[in-house]
Amino acid sequence: SGKLVMAHNYIDGEDILNKSSIPVDFKFKKPAFISIVRCEERSKRISRIIKASKKLVLDGYNFSSIIIGDGKDYELYKKMVVDYELEDIVYLIGRKSNPYCYLRKADAMVLSSKYEGYGIVIDEARILNVPIISTDVADSKTILNQGFGIVCENSCDGVYKGMKEFLEKGYVITNRFDYKSFNKEIDEALEKFIES
């Protein structure tokens, strides 16, 4: 009694790969950052991406930031985009039943959270070989340091620096995410727990 096991969610890699091949209905400027997120400022801090985008525009960079998702702060973010005069840089395109076709077309995924559980969106980006820029939350440092992206300080300035580093240097993924092995490890952990 009192035993506990921690296991991640299974990843349906085949489904993600299949859905990612569907053409997108939206044209965006490259390089393109993408965030797939619940629009909720307290934890997700999408304002960091908007503010970082403004600073990068002032620095002279040309790019786009696409934010997929909805939530209670969606209108707040729309207003920020207008107030910061970023209508041709930051696109809030709402919730999509298939975000993977957008994710696959992006140059990098940005996770700007102040705090986060295990980010499934990180695994989705890894399946599609999209570099990740993430604040130092949950397992992001452990995962990204394996060759999947850039870990940045958990602040607005950190997100800005992470995006800027990507715009200046790019990022080449040096590891291949094997979702089948990932799922097999989950099976093994659960089997061990059941047998013990």
Side-chain angles (χ1 to χ4, degrees), residues 86-151:
L86 291 171
E87 295 97 322
D88 61 342
I89 299 291
V90 177
Y91 300 94
L92 283 111
I93 61 173
R95 189 174 182 279
K96 299 288 179 186
S97 58
N98 175 17
Y100 309 119
C101 53
Y102 298 90
L103 179 56
R104 185 174 215 155
K105 296 278 185 192
D107 297 284
M109 187 200 78
V110 181
L111 194 148
S112 59
S113 299
K114 180 173 176 63
Y115 51 89
E116 186 75 56
Y118 183 85
I120 293 171
V121 71
I122 286 178
D123 290 335
E124 293 167 343
R126 290 198 294 167
I127 285 169
L128 297 177
N129 254 355
V130 176
I132 302 152
I133 301 161
S134 175
T135 50
D136 186 3
V137 290
D139 292 339
S140 63
K141 185 180 275 186
T142 304
I143 293 168
L144 271 55
N145 283 344
Q146 295 170 12
F148 294 104
I150 300 164
V151 181

Side-chain angles (χ1 to χ4, degrees), residues 18 40 42 64 72 84 98 102 107 114 131 137 148 153 156 158 163 178-179:
N18 288 336
E40 189 271 305
R42 196 168 135 235
S64 59
K72 69 185 187 78
Y84 280 71
N98 175 17
Y102 298 90
D107 297 284
K114 180 173 176 63
V137 290
F148 294 104
E153 182 186 289
C156 187
M163 291 171 73
D178 182 349
Y179 67 86

